Amino acid sequence: MVDPIVVSCLLPLGKSFAWEEEGGVWRLLMCECEDEKGGTLLFEQPSSPEHRVSDLYSMALPQHTDDILKLATFQTGNGEQTVGIVRGDTIWCLQDVAKLPPGILPAQVSDMMGVIQHWDLLKNSLQLEGEGRRLSEVKIQAPIPRPTGTIMCIGKNYADHIKEVDTWKSAPGISTPEAPEHMIIFTKAPQSVIGPGAAIKYPHGWSELVDYEAELAVIIGKPGHRIRKEDALDHIFGYTILNDVTAREVQKRHQQWFLGKSCDTFCPMGPWIVPASEINGQDLAIQCWINDELRQDARTSLMIFSITEMIATISAGITLQAGDILATGTPAGVGSGFNPPRHLKPGDTIRIKVEGIGELHNHVE
């Protein structure tokens, strides 16, 4: 028998688990969780608790997207933007359902950045009472409509996507088909962000090879420098969906990818943020349909560089700030990976679904 191991890397509801091994089987000894009083679970022959902790994590989290708490930026009837709490098809204005702790004024949590910065004080004060509004009655915006932090993106982070790189006959030279030894990190301009339902403007005369890239995006909640991998998840506020729209020939022409990735409207994001306590971002299904044809279909567990590695690597030299956005890479199935290529054209519709978050819809015009 070995000493219990406290698993702190994946914590549903912010609590901890203790484990012990006996005969090659790991037993859960303790579950400090608001919805569980404790108990013992048996897993068949995992080599370590970390290898199967996501199984338990999934059990402790809501099983249906409608049960998951979400945070959305929406436009009210008078045109003002504010933050709402979403469950199912109902949205409540956060200021109406949160009992603000002493010292926090309503104006401080009127936008998503304020909510992120004060979330530790707000999250236990929410009481979803009253009728709220139907989602169909409001206009949902990008969760952070104009990011003040950095949008950092990871390139070539799924093995199957790397394999299709070698088929990019329409824009060869963008990258090599080998898995990177070190992370490829680039940025997108904040003014490229648009929300759900908004149009991706086709850049006539500037690019004829416009591509889509379905991605899970991480929203940083707690600032940090030189964050250890084992502490990285503590710095995540939540997750959303991001489409890393790309002009392939511009991406190739300039080598550094910023221009090809940052055209106006090239960063659809949304429809909301799911707090990190609600889902396991390291193992979610991610899919993308173009004109109702399934093109991308994978799981975030297939990433080459994990979310915790991304945070540790970037923060080794750059202080991550609340509101920074990390786009975690796209799986295989992008338009440039087909032969012949199948790039976006005006009139196309894009639907991206990430398990536990929902769907992001946009169109090209």
Side-chain angles (χ1 to χ4, degrees), residues 154-165 168 211-216 241-244 248 284-289 294-304 327-338 352-354:
I154 310 301
K156 297 177 64 175
N157 202 27
Y158 288 80
D160 285 348
H161 177 53
I162 293 172
K163 294 175 184 177
E164 70 178 356
V165 167
W168 286 1
D211 213 344
Y212 54 89
E213 294 189 5
E215 307 199 12
L216 174 72
I241 304 170
L242 186 147
N243 186 354
D244 180 18
R248 293 298 184 198
L284 299 172
I286 181 169
Q287 298 169 297
C288 178
W289 290 261
L294 181 62
R295 297 274 188 91
Q296 295 182 277
D297 189 4
R299 297 195 69 85
T300 59
S301 57
L302 299 175
M303 293 178 189
I304 296 170
T328 58
T330 196
V334 300
S336 294
F338 289 90
I352 300 173
K353 181 178 181 180
V354 175

Side-chain angles (χ1 to χ4, degrees), residues 40 43 51 75 77 96 101 184 203 206 237 252 284 336:
T40 298
F43 291 128
H51 287 176
Q75 195 172 66
D96 293 339
I184 298 171
W206 189 67
F237 172 69
K252 174 191 174 184
L284 299 172
S336 294

Side-chain angles (χ1 to χ4, degrees), residues 173-239:
I174 289 175
S175 186
T176 58
E178 294 81 24
E181 181 180 356
H182 303 285
M183 283 180 212
I184 298 171
I185 302 172
F186 57 93
T187 58
K188 291 177 81 79
Q191 60 266 40
S192 65
V193 171
I194 59 173
I200 299 167
K201 303 292 186 182
Y202 195 84
H204 294 282
W206 189 67
S207 174
E208 299 298 325
L209 305 177
V210 178
D211 213 344
Y212 54 89
E213 294 189 5
E215 307 199 12
L216 174 72
V218 175
I219 312 297
I220 297 297
K222 177 183 174 183
H225 179 59
R226 296 184 178 178
I227 300 167
R228 298 185 306 168
K229 183 179 173 182
E230 56 265 36
D231 298 328
L233 293 183
D234 295 336
H235 291 260
I236 297 175
F237 172 69
Y239 302 95

Side-chain angles (χ1 to χ4, degrees), residues 90-101:
T90 304
I91 186 168
W92 293 264
C93 178
L94 181 139
Q95 294 179 354
D96 293 339
V97 297
K99 292 187 176 180
L100 299 183

Side-chain angles (χ1 to χ4, degrees), residues 5-19 28 30-34 50 53-54 56-62 123 230-236 239 275-282 308:
I5 297 174
V6 176
V7 180
S8 59
C9 57
L10 292 171
L11 305 177
L13 302 179
K15 303 300 180 180
S16 299
F17 300 107
W19 301 72
L28 175 68
M30 175 185 65
C31 178
E32 297 180 355
C33 175
E34 293 177 9
E50 289 85 353
V53 71
S54 61
L56 175 64
Y57 186 83
S58 298
M59 294 177 200
L61 295 175
K123 60 185 178 182
E230 56 265 36
D231 298 328
L233 293 183
D234 295 336
H235 291 260
I236 297 175
Y239 302 95
S277 59
E278 297 282 313
I279 58 174
N280 174 13
Q282 297 190 125
T308 56

